[in-house]
Amino acid sequence: MSNKSIIVIHGGAGTINQSSMTNEKEKEIRHSLSKILLGAKAVLENGGTAIEAVTEAVRLLEDDEIYNAGKGSVFTDKFTNEMDASIMDGKTLKAGSVCGVATIKNPIKAAKALMEYNNNQTVMLSGEPAQNFAKSQGVEIVDPSYFYTAHRYNQCVLAKEKAANKAILDHDGENNQIKQKQEESNVSTTTTVSVSISNGDGYPLDNNKKHGTVGAVALDQYGNLASATSTGGMTNKKSGRIGDSPIIGAGCYSNNNTCAVSTTGTGESFIRAVVAYDLSAMLEYTQMSLEEAGNKVIHTKLPLVDGDGGLIAVDKNGNFIMPFNTEGMYRGYMKVTDIEPNVFIYKN
């Protein structure tokens, strides 16, 4: 058995400027991250598996309105909530994924149930069939109104008013991107841009109240790795759009021989770069360290496909990384030997 057990979490990466963060909001976020880490660490301390630990961590992230997953999910262009989640077991390479779900209280639980069902003959389910499956497995189903939060709704209203057919990346934004993108491209089709819009309650869309994907990675006392990822997508995204979060190898990957990975950022770029698996492959086929591989993926390879964001990863030896190429990333870790959680928001 290993004494290197660790849980690492993220709550999204993006333009998180310290100058625009109130003391109260920062304290709230740090307290939330700490509470989630303590909850997941308790699972590991009590002999739980890495799968159980990442499921609990992501469940707690989904239940907190701060994060863009579960209860805090953003709205689509049809003012609906469509959520995605995935999970992977590094010991067996089994995985489960759900996407476009609207009535599953904790999508990560549905992903886990699918991973464990029927010897994993089905890895991914979407929409109503995913919801029906979750219900059949005893996963809690709620009315879609459960996911309504006023600030998320207002964000979508403002995105429609200010950004027309643009889908707003929840994890990032820049003040004059809308005008710039419109000048660069005279197209009317749905396009993804980054933008900062005040929503009237003191939080621009690119700052304190929205953060992209959430996720967790863990190494347990038995030497097994696991990863889990969950998201509500992008504000004003086209209904039916799927990002990297539920895609094994892009937003989530775990292999006991290498590492466990969960990502957050511009989903389409993470899909194109197959980020999560790429990191694992570097460890498997080269002599690179986890840190070297993570930095190459995030700072060298991802920008080549116009990608920004970050990831968390832990390897089979208990080494962990939390690289990102944005202004900040909500993140933290806790080893079973730690008394206090370690949480971070900004680049430094």
Side-chain angles (χ1 to χ4, degrees), residues 229-293:
T229 308
S230 181
T231 190
M234 299 187 299
T235 296
N236 197 34
K237 69 178 180 181
K238 184 174 180 61
S239 179
R241 176 263 184 189
I242 304 296
D244 66 307
S245 297
I247 298 178
I248 303 303
C252 178
Y253 191 76
S254 189
N255 186 329
N256 273 10
N257 293 323
T258 55
C259 61
V261 188
S262 175
T263 71
T264 174
T266 46
E268 282 71 14
S269 297
F270 277 70
I271 293 171
R272 292 163 62 198
V274 201
V275 166
Y277 178 73
D278 194 30
L279 176 56
S280 172
M282 287 187 198
L283 299 186
E284 185 171 3
Y285 301 120
T286 77
Q287 299 302 312
M288 297 178 73
S289 68
L290 181 67
E291 183 176 9
E292 289 171 334

Side-chain angles (χ1 to χ4, degrees), residues 7 29 40 56 74 81 89 102-103 110 121 126 158-159 181 190 194 200 230 247 253 262 272 277 291 297 301-302:
I7 179 74
I29 293 166
E56 176 64 4
V74 298
N81 304 104
D89 185 344
T103 63
Q121 291 184 19
S126 65
L158 282 164
K181 290 290 183 179
T190 299
S194 300
S230 181
I247 298 178
Y253 191 76
S262 175
R272 292 163 62 198
Y277 178 73
E291 183 176 9
V297 168
K301 301 183 76 172
L302 190 59

